[in-house]
Amino acid sequence: MPQSPLHVPDGYRALSEADLGPFLATTPLAQVLGGSPADWTVREVGDGNLNLVSIVSGPAGGVAVKQALPYVRLVGESWPLPLSRAHFEHLALLEQDRHAPGRVPRVLHYEPGLALLVLELLTPHIILRRGMIQGVRYPLFA
């Protein structure tokens, strides 16, 4: 049997919608959401090619959760990608926020072993690509 070309560190696993509530309950983010995992809704919203993206909402608020997969989501395991990209995205968001506060979502939690970022939930929000397809003009978009 051929070996998978994926490099996945020990302890890494892709979190399903059912896994996110129990995971977040173990972090300080439980206070941001309010209530308990039974009170939270998890909705997978990723429409991209690479990552798992979910919105988790609770009685007190919500967060966006973004987890890197070790492969191109659209293609599958035959097209591996390094999970380290989540680390670099984490660093980039922190640096961007330092120079332009409020212009990028705040990083609320980073879990390196899971290549997972928990970000401030921007509302209202639409995906830029969808707005452009609908003909929305963004005069300040570079």
Side-chain angles (χ1 to χ4, degrees):
M1 177 183 239
Q3 269 196 330
S4 169
L6 298 179
H7 171 70
V8 180
D10 290 341
Y12 173 86
R13 63 188 175 95
L15 297 179
S16 69
E17 286 185 31
D19 296 331
L20 278 177
F23 166 75
L24 291 174
T26 68
T27 73
L29 296 164
Q31 293 176 338
V32 172
L33 296 167
S36 70
D39 303 314
W40 305 340
T41 59
V42 178
R43 184 171 48 103
E44 210 275 321
V45 296
D47 71 340
N49 299 323
L50 303 178
N51 303 300
L52 295 174
V53 181
S54 297
I55 293 175
V56 182
S57 302
V63 296
V65 180
K66 183 175 183 181
Q67 185 178 30
L69 294 171
Y71 52 84
V72 175
R73 180 179 179 183
L74 187 66
V75 176
E77 293 185 9
S78 65
W79 192 335
L81 284 175
L83 291 172
S84 61
R85 69 187 192 278
H87 168 72
F88 294 109
E89 181 175 2
H90 169 241
L91 293 178
L93 285 168
L94 293 177
E95 190 67 13
Q96 291 161 351
D97 187 57
R98 191 168 75 83
H99 293 285
R103 301 288 182 182
V104 295
R106 283 182 303 119
V107 175
L108 303 176
H109 185 75
Y110 174 57
E111 193 71 35
L114 294 174
L116 182 137
L117 287 161
V118 181
L119 305 168
E120 171 187 22
L121 182 60
L122 302 177
T123 55
H125 172 73
I126 64 165
I127 295 170
L128 179 66
R129 177 179 56 231
R130 289 187 185 158
M132 293 175 76
I133 289 169
Q134 294 170 358
V136 176
R137 293 189 183 265
Y138 298 97
L140 299 178
F141 180 62

